[in-house]
Amino acid sequence: MVCNVALFLLSTGSRLNEALSATWKNIDCDNRVWLIPAVNSKSKKSRNVPLNDAALAVLKSLDTEGSYEHLFINPRTRKRLKFIHKTWSRLRNDANLKSLKIHGLRHSFAGFLINGGRTLFEVQNIL
């Protein structure tokens, strides 16, 4: 599940808390958009995040839609996933990526956008 969270973060540029708080009612796959409510946003402003093909693939791979309110569920407790740092630390150590932090995925997403021709203003609005 933590790998899916990481892929979702890398595909959306969202913050960890935003992703772990995400609910299915705020996902619109048909229009390829995810609404992050103000209560879950660091800026306390709601915003729409575009869902690219990679993000939609992550969502499609999840088996939580229709059964759970939240996207990411702890497979042992069957409750919303709240913390991933311990598992993330183990995964990145196993992959010999010790310096890769969760928030670094957000920065990588921004870099992908810039390398893809987006302006800094566009990247700012997406993030």
Side-chain angles (χ1 to χ4, degrees):
M1 184 57 64
V2 173
C3 291
N4 279 331
V5 173
L7 286 172
F8 192 71
L9 294 174
L10 189 58
S11 302
T12 62
S14 62
R15 293 177 178 89
L16 178 60
N17 183 56
E18 294 169 340
L20 295 182
S21 300
T23 59
W24 285 107
K25 71 178 180 181
N26 292 324
I27 300 289
D28 183 350
C29 290
D30 293 335
N31 292 310
R32 302 173 66 102
V33 69
W34 165 33
L35 170 68
I36 299 178
V39 69
N40 295 341
S41 173
K42 182 178 177 182
S43 67
K44 299 303 178 198
K45 295 179 184 176
S46 64
R47 71 179 198 280
N48 290 315
V49 175
L51 296 173
N52 58 27
D53 291 341
L56 290 171
V58 170
L59 294 173
K60 187 175 182 177
S61 74
L62 299 176
D63 62 353
T64 58
E65 187 174 15
S67 301
Y68 298 94
E69 178 183 5
H70 292 88
L71 276 58
F72 301 105
I73 302 297
N74 182 318
R76 284 192 297 262
T77 65
R78 305 312 257 169
K79 295 184 179 180
R80 178 175 76 91
L81 194 60
K82 293 183 181 179
F83 306 102
I84 67 164
H85 294 295
K86 193 181 231 183
T87 303
W88 176 253
S89 180
R90 181 182 50 78
L91 288 171
R92 66 189 175 107
N93 284 336
D94 290 350
N96 201 24
L97 297 169
K98 294 175 179 63
S99 64
L100 181 60
K101 306 290 188 225
I102 283 285
H103 196 71
L105 301 175
R106 182 173 166 86
H107 293 273
S108 294
F109 175 78
F112 295 153
L113 292 176
I114 290 169
N115 290 336
R118 299 291 184 171
T119 66
L120 289 177
F121 180 74
E122 289 173 312
V123 172
Q124 178 186 10
N125 285 326
I126 292 170
L127 293 177

